[in-house]
Amino acid sequence: MDRRTLLKLSGLSLVGATAGCLEGEEEETTAATTTEESGGGGGEETTTTTEESGGGGSSYTIGMVDSLTGSLAPYGERNTRGRELALAAVNEVGIGSEGASLNISVEDDESTNQGGVNGAQKLVNQDGVPLLIGSVGSGVSIAIHDSVTNDAGVVQISQNSTSPELTTRPELLRMSPSGAAKGQALASLVSDDGHDTVAVTWINNDYGTGLSDVFAETFESETGGTVAYNEPHDQGQSSYSGILTEMASTDASAWIFLTYANEYTVMVNEGFDQGYNTSVDYYGAESTVADSIIENTPAGSMDGMKGITESAPQDQENYQNFVSAFEENYDATPTVWSAYAYDAVTVAALAIEAADEFTGEALSSVVRDVTRPEGEEVFNFEEAAAVLRDGGSPSDINYQGVSGPVDLDENGDPPGYYQIYSVEDHEYVFGDYITS
């Protein structure tokens, strides 16, 4: 990564491009040096990511549990570049007066709760990290919190988990907003399109349960609609024809898929074979947006589909600058999920900069403060570090993330920004913005 790009992310006001397009998952990550070791506690590999700082020789190591394999791998892959851009920007400045570097040790959760717990145990119990970023899946993040980080006093920041259930765990922080507002917006979208009877299938975990509950309650109580079918499906199945047959047996004019990329790909292909895509309208949420879905389904198989996905604010210059730097380095356009990963790393670095010591207790006492609106708005690590090093306290800064204002509340939740998407000519098209 060249110095010009680092400076754009470290210390300049922001200008740039538009949100909305998917990043190409096949592009190679080159932002920082990565070394791999076999035999990681949470999956197939352990990755320690390091970008040398310009100052002193000391360093801080934090952990990350990410989905490198399994159903959530398409989403875990997109986090890598956001993480590396943030790490490079932090290490260009360095942490503390000695300019210490930040290292991130990454474990694969294999897209399962147990894999996430295994990876987190390795990072916390063996490596001794006081702060852990992770994960993608809401159920995985909750399992890590309940089984590992909460009792150990380790700060946990999820970069991508959206289930409303996370709100019930105030010490489980997250960069992506709660799916509660998204479920409500999706119900309104379906109703506004003229549908009064729907069939819903949701992946049988915390993500699917939380989102489907909000959607169904809103659709029935606020729009007066009927949910004719509302059943879960298991992760990782080779066929979902039985689920689709049951949905087709109802008089629903809209089918709602609250699932992951791999599962939705199977459903789209089977629905296309049976001609369901021409008789009902498809709807989904953010997890039915992935390059891998487009690549592994036939043209026309889901044209006309609509949904609600998380997004950065349209006029957010900070995000526009992030997009510009991302495109310059990777020749691809990011999604907001890469921005969430970027913000997770930056907030972690700011907590380390602001804390009295590198312990879970000390980091926990400042991590919310550096994001709160009472402080001076800062748009990158360099600006925030300058305020802190000039005698400012954690509450004197208000980090404005590349994904939008972070503003972590008492439940560890940020505000939400969403966007309506559709599928046209077998491509995702992004439209109006919604603010929670």
Side-chain angles (χ1 to χ4, degrees):
M1 179 176 296
D2 60 45
R3 182 174 177 83
R4 180 162 61 93
T5 299
L6 286 171
L7 290 174
K8 279 203 290 186
L9 287 168
S10 299
L12 295 180
S13 277
L14 308 163
V15 215
T18 57
C21 296
L22 291 175
E23 62 196 82
E25 292 166 1
E26 75 282 356
E27 297 293 338
E28 184 178 357
T29 299
T30 57
T33 301
T34 302
T35 60
E36 298 179 357
E37 305 168 1
S38 62
E44 296 180 356
E45 66 183 30
T46 300
T47 303
T48 302
T49 308
T50 307
E51 181 77 22
E52 293 301 326
S53 71
S58 59
S59 66
Y60 296 95
T61 298
I62 62 175
M64 174 179 278
V65 175
D66 213 349
S67 299
L68 306 180
T69 59
S71 293
L72 294 170
Y75 315 114
E77 289 169 4
R78 66 193 176 190
N79 292 333
T80 301
R81 295 165 177 162
R83 179 181 77 231
E84 300 291 9
L85 283 175
L87 195 63
V90 168
N91 286 332
E92 175 70 7
V93 177
I95 297 176
S97 59
E98 296 183 358
S101 61
L102 179 64
N103 304 327
I104 302 178
S105 182
V106 182
E107 292 288 329
D108 181 16
D109 63 28
E110 301 173 337
S111 303
T112 67
N113 292 2
Q114 189 58 55
V117 169
N118 291 344
Q121 287 175 334
K122 193 266 183 184
L123 291 167
V124 172
N125 298 334
Q126 296 182 36
D127 299 346
V129 301
L131 186 148
L132 184 148
I133 298 172
S135 184
V136 175
S138 298
V140 181
S141 289
I142 290 171
I144 291 172
H145 170 273
D146 292 353
S147 300
V148 183
T149 59
N150 192 42
D151 289 341
V154 170
V155 175
Q156 182 180 345
I157 305 173
S158 167
Q159 69 269 46
N160 288 172
S161 299
T162 62
S163 171
E165 186 65 21
L166 270 72
T167 301
T168 67
R169 294 162 171 80
E171 297 310 314
L172 176 46
L173 313 176
R174 57 175 157 189
M175 295 295 102
S176 54
S178 168
K182 177 175 59 189
Q184 295 164 355
L186 181 58
S188 296
L189 175 65
V190 174
S191 177
D192 290 345
D193 282 349
H195 299 287
D196 55 16
T197 304
V198 303
V200 183
T201 185
W202 42 277
I203 197 155
N204 194 13
N205 61 20
D206 289 298
Y207 166 76
T209 301
L211 186 54
S212 63
D213 285 349
V214 172
F215 173 85
E217 181 180 354
T218 304
F219 191 75
E220 292 187 328
S221 65
E222 297 189 17
T223 75
T226 299
V227 179
Y229 181 88
N230 190 12
E231 296 296 332
H233 56 268
D234 290 331
Q235 191 171 337
Q237 301 299 299
S238 60
S239 174
Y240 295 98
S241 60
I243 294 286
L244 299 182
T245 299
E246 291 174 357
M247 295 172 77
S249 69
T250 71
D251 58 352
S253 59
W255 290 5
I256 320 301
F257 298 94
L258 306 177
T259 188
Y260 296 149
N262 290 359
E263 289 72 18
Y264 182 60
T265 299
V266 174
M267 293 178 185
V268 169
N269 286 324
E270 292 182 332
F272 183 72
D273 290 342
Q274 297 298 318
Y276 295 141
N277 60 300
T278 61
S279 59
V280 297
D281 292 335
Y282 289 178
Y283 289 85
E286 83 291 345
S287 291
T288 48
V289 178
D291 283 349
S292 63
I293 299 173
I294 298 293
E295 293 164 359
N296 293 291
T297 55
S301 57
M302 55 176 178
D303 282 357
M305 179 192 183
K306 290 184 179 180
I308 303 288
T309 184
E310 286 75 2
S311 178
Q314 187 174 13
D315 58 351
Q316 177 76 39
E317 290 185 356
N318 205 7
Y319 180 68
Q320 293 172 2
N321 190 70
F322 169 72
V323 171
S324 178
F326 193 102
E327 291 178 334
E328 183 175 343
N329 280 272
Y330 302 117
D331 193 27
T333 300
T335 65
V336 73
W337 304 97
S338 295
Y340 292 141
Y342 183 101
D343 285 339
V345 172
T346 304
V347 169
L350 289 175
I352 297 170
E353 178 77 36
D356 293 333
E357 55 185 3
F358 189 54
T359 65
E361 182 179 3
L363 295 172
S364 178
S365 69
V366 300
V367 66
R368 277 182 173 84
D369 290 342
V370 299
T371 73
R372 296 296 300 154
E374 294 78 16
E376 174 187 346
E377 288 189 355
V378 289
F379 293 90
N380 49 65
F381 178 79
E382 184 176 42
E383 290 180 359
V387 174
L388 293 170
R389 294 172 191 177
D390 194 36
S393 69
S395 58
D396 289 330
I397 59 174
N398 173 20
Y399 173 61
Q400 301 291 297
V402 298
S403 64
V406 180
D407 294 351
L408 294 176
D409 65 15
E410 65 276 9
N411 297 315
D413 292 338
Y417 296 87
Y418 303 96
Q419 192 172 19
I420 298 172
Y421 71 88
S422 60
V423 178
E424 301 175 14
D425 297 326
H426 211 55
E427 293 183 354
Y428 295 107
V429 177
F430 295 84
D432 293 340
Y433 288 81
I434 301 168
T435 304
S436 70

